Amino acid sequence: MENDIQKKFLEYVKKINHYKQAMALMAWDGRTGAPKAGVPQRAEVLGTLSAEVFAMSVSDQMKDMLAALDKATDLSDIVLKSKEHCQKTYDRNTKIPADEFKAYVMLQSTAESVWEEAKEKNDFAMFQPYLEELVSYNKKFIEYRGYEGHPYNTLLDDYEPGVFTDTLDRVFAELKAALIPLVKKVSNAKKQPNTAPLYAYFPKADQEKLSHAVLKHIGYDFDKGRLNETVHPFAIGINPNDVRVTTKYNEHDFRVALLGTIHEGGHALYEQNIDHEFIGTPLSGGTSMGIHESQSLFFEKFVGQSLPFWKNVYPLLKQHAGSQFDDVELEDFYFALNESRPSLIRIEADELTYCLHIILRYELEKGLFEGTIEVKDLPRLWNDKMEEYLGIRPENDGEGVLQDVHWSSGSFGYFPSYALGYIYAAQMKQAMLNDLPNFDQLLEQEQIGVIREWLTKHVHRYGSLKKPQEIIADITGKSIDAKPLLSYLTEKYSNLYELS
Amino acid sequence: MENDIQKKFLEYVKKINHYKQAMALMAWDGRTGAPKAGVPQRAEVLGTLSAEVFAMSVSDQMKDMLAALDKATDLSDIVLKSKEHCQKTYDRNTKIPADEFKAYVMLQSTAESVWEEAKEKNDFAMFQPYLEELVSYNKKFIEYRGYEGHPYNTLLDDYEPGVFTDTLDRVFAELKAALIPLVKKVSNAKKQPNTAPLYAYFPKADQEKLSHAVLKHIGYDFDKGRLNETVHPFAIGINPNDVRVTTKYNEHDFRVALLGTIHEGGHALYEQNIDHEFIGTPLSGGTSMGIHESQSLFFEKFVGQSLPFWKNVYPLLKQHAGSQFDDVELEDFYFALNESRPSLIRIEADELTYCLHIILRYELEKGLFEGTIEVKDLPRLWNDKMEEYLGIRPENDGEGVLQDVHWSSGSFGYFPSYALGYIYAAQMKQAMLNDLPNFDQLLEQEQIGVIREWLTKHVHRYGSLKKPQEIIADITGKSIDAKPLLSYLTEKYSNLYELS
């Protein structure tokens, strides 16, 4: 009997998963050269499939199976954890009244196009009423869904399951206290890198070859994926045997493609190495935004922007590039590649300043949902905080409060994951050094495979079986902690900029 | 009430159509660079979607709707014809017992891989028992499904609705009587083309540009499609706003890509120009294999291999090619491009000999299903007929009876559509000349648009609304007729080869 219900449940979630795989392929296709005129039909087909997925997630059959599984004993790990995922989705999708959710979806789509125009016109007032409505809907949804401790936690839980304001307040306070003065010191340092060679002409065809070579280098399996060019780079896992990466090429800044490819490659390594037993279940993707970001950042920052990596790869770069690096010493190249400077736009920020961009957003979102901040005050608060944290002030809202798309699509609670990615990655690196004290030598000797295997063993293979905090605890024996990241940044940038 | 049932029915078929669009995209993706390791999962997802489509096509809901529509009056044309399509599918899918059909599907997949090995080893005996079983299943299915006149008609109807053995016997007899002596004369003609320049090195990158240019030239809309490279070229309509084409490049025979692209482009022009009102219904694709082939062949043969077309395009070719054509006169080039020679392999055959390859297969299939031919006798009959029709005899079964994949997947009744495509195209061309007597000038003056519009008006826009014979009757006022094709071939090849 209990085997029957497990089997029936797994068949059911497999069907949902198959529809999602078809949708994932359509999403990939839509961004990699699909014909323009096909957009409306594609949207309709996606609508049909997602309506089916939604219907299956809240069906009576799902309800009955979840109830039966709750009573069952001896569930397999896969069934138990899959059940938890489905229960969470069921609760979220049934607690919000359907008509309100439909109105909200329509608001999202309007708000996104209003935001686009407002950003272009630097006109926050235009976007303000929509943002107010988005916040107000989300406040209502939080009431429907319930919350533990702080209302914002319900939103955080959607992106980073189980990581709440208590944790974030603690680690972000620690980060802020140390980063603000460190950023100031770096900005005022006498020693500064010569970045001119980075911007020399680097033909796209050569960058393409370099991107392929570097993806292979970090262990991306081209039998389980492909690399294409898009305007906005991304990685997408259709299933662990089909994980695709895209990148973009700037012929006057090769870092865009090179580091972007490594970043998306890090996401892809995670998805390619998820245990194949999970295929067809809700466990077959990454467990959270933050853990996902930890993998992309690990490869981008701790590998791709590290000196030992470049000791090995610099000749490869020279081989693909023109003559621009012929007279550039490795150490000077490495310094240029890691230039740090306060800047207004989050997605262009370097690793030293990045988390301050996130903390600013976190403080504003948290204030909105506890009711201590009003939407109308966001532009001023944003600009004040930028000045306080990074010493620069936006001249208009387009380069300030309007810069990111997230809020316009109602994605509150998403931003903290980006900073958590840095924090997790640094914690992993520190733990990894206990097992692989020769980390630097591995990079120098082109043995990234050993590093990738360590991450697969401790992170990748689990897919969504473990929650973020479980992964971190199992690796480090500790909770989420900002210290490893702070040590890494302090040491690296003190050395680079010769800070006293 | 009647409006309600129409609306409900259209919603239902739209959902089926949306699933089919997702499947079509997956099919395209699977052949254009999808990761190898993803194949098994892709098959599973396709299986889930096609099971859903099958279930919807035979559901009680479908049955009830079809019954209700049968009683309804004042149905719109779209509903009426869509109902006919769904009824046909319902009948086919319900009359065959599910367990037998499942066994047959498994046999198909085994038979295909056995065929592949048998072909490689030139070993018909290896494939024979599987082919016997495939034929025997199809005979049973014909009994279940019923037939009019001749059992083979039920299979023909799957590919060419309403075109049966009486018609095919008549037109194929006429073709055979005229083509066999004509082919003989051409083979023995003193004047033969110099084809050496066709095989000169032509870099792929230049061929790619040429393929794009020629697709645009014939009116393919790149906003509604894209061109990619594949091992086996094809065109696929996901919906009329998303119709994709692929081609392949041979650097030592530019015709492969050029004529292949035009051929697939012809298929695509059909699908791109189907009335947008039909989107989301069973009418939104081409009406039959034969009518589809008539469009690809019209563009490949009556346009792409015609002298007036090349008067205009030859300079374009020279511009993209190396110097190989510098000293080749247009007329000599045209003659070389239309070289005709009996050959063993259907897919490499020229337009003069092609139909004889088809007639041979038709006679064998018809014999199998009326019981006058046994599977074991196929290799001998095949070779005898090749000798009789084309004057050449295969040395082994790989270049004879085993050459095509169709039978191994149980596709009996498919082959005649290829010859019908030639016949239809010639009938259309003859009718077109009444409206556009300046056909040749249009080609010379780069006004193919006028020709394409004529075909859209008389063929494309109807999608699957009209059956093949209706289309031909509405265009020509006559039934299916081989004479226009015979006149075209006789005149063209008598001139080219200076036959007396």
Side-chain angles (χ1 to χ4, degrees), chain B residues 90-121:
Chain B
Y90 180 87
D91 290 343
R92 189 178 51 216
N93 290 347
T94 51
K95 286 186 178 166
I96 300 172
D99 56 336
E100 284 186 39
F101 193 74
K102 196 175 166 188
Y104 176 66
V105 169
M106 284 163 66
L107 171 65
Q108 280 175 314
S109 126
T110 317
E112 249 193 81
S113 63
V114 172
W115 163 78
E116 215 163 312
E117 202 185 331
K119 181 181 172 179
E120 206 173 304
K121 295 182 174 166

Side-chain angles (χ1 to χ4, degrees), chain A residues 15 18-19 21 25 28-29 32-33 35-38 41 45 48-49 52 223 225-226 239 241-242 244 279, chain B residues 15 18-19 21 25 28-29 32-33 35-38 41 45 48-49 52 223 225-226 239 241-242 244 279:
Chain A
K15 191 168 171 188
H18 285 179
Y19 287 169
Q21 289 194 40
L25 177 65
W28 174 84
D29 181 68
T32 51
K36 273 186 284 180
Q41 263 301 297
V45 174
T48 297
L49 287 168
E52 196 64 26
D223 276 350
R226 57 187 293 179
N239 63 63
N241 281 315
D242 189 347
R244 305 177 183 200
I279 290 179
Chain B
K15 191 168 170 187
H18 285 179
Y19 287 169
Q21 288 194 41
L25 177 65
W28 173 83
D29 180 69
T32 52
K36 272 185 285 181
Q41 263 302 294
V45 175
T48 296
L49 287 168
E52 195 64 25
D223 276 350
R226 56 187 295 179
N239 64 64
N241 281 315
D242 189 347
R244 306 179 182 198
I279 291 179

Side-chain angles (χ1 to χ4, degrees), chain A residues 107 419 496:
Chain A
L107 171 66
L496 279 171

Side-chain angles (χ1 to χ4, degrees), chain B residues 235-253:
Chain B
I236 189 166
I238 296 172
N239 64 64
N241 281 315
D242 189 347
V243 183
R244 306 179 182 198
V245 171
T246 74
T247 194
K248 70 172 174 181
Y249 302 97
N250 178 338
E251 294 196 313
H252 292 283
D253 189 351

Side-chain angles (χ1 to χ4, degrees), chain A residues 266-286:
Chain A
H267 282 301
L269 288 176
Y270 187 1
E271 299 262 336
Q272 283 190 336
N273 291 295
I274 289 172
D275 192 329
H276 281 34
E277 266 199 82
F278 299 162
I279 290 179
T281 76
L283 312 180
S284 64

